[in-house]
Amino acid sequence: MPIPFKAGDMVWTNFPFESSPDRPGPTRHAAVVIGAFEQRSAPKSIAAPIPRQGMLVGVYTSSQVRKFGDALPVGVIQVSPDRAASSGNAKPFFIDARIRAFIPFTGAYFPDIDKPEHGLIGSLDKGLWKKVIEEFQKVNERHREQIVSVGPLRP
């Protein structure tokens, strides 16, 4: 099956924990898709071998909005209740562009893969997506020591 997600989508995953980075997490967890790559069309810049099912790169989200207080670290974006609702979420949340999953597009990592929407929650609006990419790049360029990569396909 082709990967039904695109950059900027929010999807249900079994996002791996840092303590067990090569295994699916034990519960469904929302992630923002940074990129979805199929084996036959993946760019040469992808370092990991792409499995035949494809690979998704996603960043962490959480509804624990008070975790950071008012001072958000670089790479973290607070999403308001109104903006959350417009992207298919029932509650406000934050996006942490420092925590990145490199995972195969399989049922182990995508618990709703066989459902009609395949676990799609919604898509970020263009302004929020732009902010995610800006924070992702800022972490890459100036704060690489804060990047946490999980998943069996991580670089």
Side-chain angles (χ1 to χ4, degrees):
M1 160 189 353
I3 298 175
F5 309 129
K6 64 185 184 320
D9 283 347
M10 286 196 70
V11 301
W12 288 115
T13 68
N14 287 333
F15 204 97
F17 289 168
E18 190 176 356
S19 59
S20 298
D22 292 326
R23 294 198 329 246
T27 58
R28 284 177 6 135
H29 194 90
V32 174
V33 176
I34 298 298
F37 306 97
E38 293 184 6
Q39 191 177 50
R40 67 183 181 281
S41 60
K44 293 182 187 334
S45 61
I46 301 295
I50 307 294
R52 67 175 175 73
Q53 305 96 328
M55 176 180 89
L56 183 130
V57 178
V59 294
Y60 185 79
T61 70
S62 176
S63 61
Q64 303 297 317
V65 295
R66 293 284 168 228
K67 179 177 179 176
F68 298 108
D70 293 331
L72 296 177
V74 66
V76 177
I77 303 159
Q78 180 70 49
V79 180
S80 70
D82 290 341
R83 206 168 208 177
S86 74
S87 62
N89 290 275
K91 300 192 268 186
F93 61 96
F94 70 83
I95 301 168
D96 193 337
R98 302 169 304 169
I99 304 174
R100 303 155 182 206
F102 298 79
I103 52 180
F105 185 62
T106 63
Y109 288 94
F110 294 89
D112 298 334
I113 197 170
D114 293 325
K115 292 184 178 175
E117 295 296 317
H118 309 291
L120 177 67
I121 299 166
S123 298
L124 302 183
D125 65 67
K126 288 180 182 177
L128 182 54
W129 173 241
K130 181 179 178 192
K131 182 71 174 161
V132 169
I133 292 303
E134 287 171 356
E135 291 298 312
F136 191 89
Q137 290 173 333
K138 189 185 301 180
V139 171
N140 284 351
E141 294 167 2
R142 292 184 253 161
H143 302 279
R144 294 189 67 76
E145 72 284 355
Q146 293 187 30
I147 296 172
V148 175
S149 294
V150 295
L153 303 174
R154 68 189 183 278

